[in-house]
Amino acid sequence: AGIDTADVAALALTATAVDAAAPGFLRVVACDAESTTSNVNYTTSNPVPNLVVAAPGDDGRVCVYSHADTDVVVDAFGVFTADAGLVDVSERRFDSRAAGAPVRAGSVTVIDVSDLTGDDDTPVNGVVLNLTSVQAQGPGFFTAYPCAAGQPATSNLNYADSRPVSNATIVAPDADGTICVYSYATTELIVDAQATIGAAFEGRTPVRLLDTRTG
């Protein structure tokens, strides 16, 4: 695509699964990377896209792993240059299935990313997360936010039923390196970290700018 990956910390991509033969997920990472994360969770119904931040490998490539047979579409729409302070992470930070119980309706889960937040010389202003809902017991949503700011009236992922659904977001961690995720309904919650961003990103407490339902 004419991208010189020598000066690229990561690619900004949209990955889409289309006409999947069975439910599954896509993982988009550098080809020489090991990861247990997911970026797109799909079923056999409609096409499912998601934002992906992925660092190319030393060979300038990213690889797409698919759990099931499906058509895959990958669009590149931007790059993070080497001076943007972005560091690829690509690791699972929380999985309620491993904890043995879903997150309950109305609960807040604290995600510790303190080991990703660097030091005074290399501050981390934002963490790129992929949120996934699995086996939700009813319609609802996740809200990810800096814990100290208090829960805002915003959402990052909307789920309707037990089918897996995922969405990427960028959250500014608290000074102690924590991020909070509120869940409206009872569901399994998976949180994967894709990358951290330094001075190129200035985090804000989330705020809703438009909601046509309110007038």
Side-chain angles (χ1 to χ4, degrees), residues 85 117-125 198-199:
T117 55
D119 51 39
D120 292 339
D121 294 329
T122 56
V124 168
N125 291 346

Side-chain angles (χ1 to χ4, degrees), residues 13 39 49-53 127-132 156-157 166-171 192 194:
L13 308 171
N39 298 97
N50 200 9
L51 167 70
V52 178
V53 176
V127 180
V128 183
L129 301 176
N130 196 67
L131 308 177
T132 303
N156 299 89
L157 171 72
S166 56
N167 197 29
T169 185
I170 302 176
V171 184
D192 293 330
Q194 295 187 34

Side-chain angles (χ1 to χ4, degrees), residues 15-19 26 40-43 45-50 73 164-166:
T16 306
V18 184
D19 293 332
L26 301 180
V40 181
N41 290 75
Y42 52 81
T43 60
S45 55
N46 297 325
V48 180
N50 200 9
V73 181
V165 60
S166 56

Side-chain angles (χ1 to χ4, degrees), residues 18 22 34 37 44 58 78 88 103 109 119 129 153 156 166 169 176-177 182-183 187 191 199 205 212:
V18 184
E34 295 184 3
T37 61
T44 57
D58 292 338
D88 180 64
V103 296
T109 302
D119 51 39
L129 301 176
N156 299 89
S166 56
T169 185
D176 63 356
Y182 165 83
S183 182
T187 183
V191 181
T205 301
T212 61

Side-chain angles (χ1 to χ4, degrees), residues 159-187:
Y159 47 83
D161 48 35
S162 61
R163 290 173 294 182
V165 60
S166 56
N167 197 29
T169 185
I170 302 176
V171 184
D174 281 335
D176 63 356
T178 56
I179 290 168
C180 281
V181 180
Y182 165 83
S183 182
Y184 180 83
T186 298
T187 183

Side-chain angles (χ1 to χ4, degrees), residues 84-110:
L86 186 141
V87 177
D88 180 64
V89 177
S90 191
E91 64 181 49
R92 182 145 290 173
R93 305 301 296 190
F94 181 80
D95 188 341
S96 62
R97 299 171 300 179
V103 296
R104 310 307 300 181
S107 67
V108 174
T109 302
V110 178

